[in-house]
Amino acid sequence: MCVLAALGLVASACGSMSSELVDQSSSATEPVLLHISEQDIDHAREAFDLSRQVWDDREPFAYTLQIGATTVNEIEIDVDEGGKVVAERVILDDGNADSLSRSVDEVFDRVEAAISAFESGEFDVPTRGECGRHVNVMFDEALGYPTYWDELGPCDDGVGIRVEVRPN
């Protein structure tokens, strides 16, 4: 619970950026999402680390992982309480479903690689609205996992990866 409170503090500590970073949905059924980007890489790292900690600290549970790029490709993976894949279904395949991450940990690894590239200076942080390298991520506040991520900027065409964890 302390990690969830800390996650909320990170979002509120962003001052002028808070309206962009947190979607305070009024619906009780919609998760509250924390949104990060390369525009504030220090905040992105802190929010990423806290979200990862929430995911890692959760009690084991069985769930279905749904992952894909909307209208392009999508898979569902059933995971048991021990983290073992027990079934996988291809829902939609444009020929690239094999390139999708097969676990929440893989999604975290991809997001961390993008954040690290900005932190190391490998990627320059563009100004808002500028072409170049980008990273956009939203996290589920309750479970910590990334619900969406992409590396698309205003000059890119494409779709981001949507992730949903549904407890069984």
Side-chain angles (χ1 to χ4, degrees):
M1 199 53 135
C2 291
V3 175
L4 289 177
L7 196 56
L9 285 175
V10 168
S12 64
C14 292
S16 64
M17 295 178 62
S18 63
S19 64
E20 295 175 30
L21 297 174
V22 178
D23 174 12
Q24 298 292 340
S25 175
S26 59
S27 170
T29 60
E30 292 294 317
V32 175
L33 302 176
L34 175 67
H35 176 215
I36 63 170
S37 77
E38 76 289 341
Q39 294 300 304
D40 184 347
I41 205 63
D42 292 335
H43 171 259
R45 168 54 69 190
E46 187 174 359
F48 173 87
D49 290 346
L50 286 170
S51 295
R52 181 67 195 239
Q53 192 65 49
V54 169
W55 177 256
D56 289 345
D57 287 350
R58 78 201 186 295
E59 293 292 324
F61 65 96
Y63 60 91
T64 298
L65 170 65
Q66 185 173 353
I67 188 167
T70 308
T71 71
V72 180
N73 51 46
E74 187 175 342
I75 59 174
E76 285 185 343
I77 299 172
D78 296 328
V79 180
D80 68 14
E81 284 186 8
K84 180 181 175 192
V85 173
V86 294
E88 180 175 317
R89 295 169 297 287
V90 175
I91 306 302
L92 184 60
D93 187 1
D94 71 344
N96 291 315
D98 288 341
S99 67
L100 292 170
S101 297
R102 293 303 201 259
S103 71
V104 172
D105 288 336
E106 280 185 34
V107 176
F108 270 114
D109 290 346
R110 288 183 172 190
V111 171
E112 179 152 37
I115 291 171
S116 294
F118 286 104
E119 289 173 322
S120 71
E122 178 183 347
F123 297 162
D124 292 327
V125 175
T127 59
R128 285 192 195 280
E130 181 182 29
C131 297
R133 298 284 189 160
H134 295 270
V135 62
N136 299 290
V137 188
M138 286 185 273
F139 297 95
D140 179 88
E141 185 179 86
L143 295 175
Y145 71 93
T147 61
Y148 174 85
W149 77 276
D150 71 41
E151 295 181 26
L152 304 171
C155 302
D156 297 317
D157 290 330
V159 294
I161 302 299
R162 300 212 180 276
V163 181
E164 181 181 1
V165 170
R166 293 188 311 265
N168 294 342

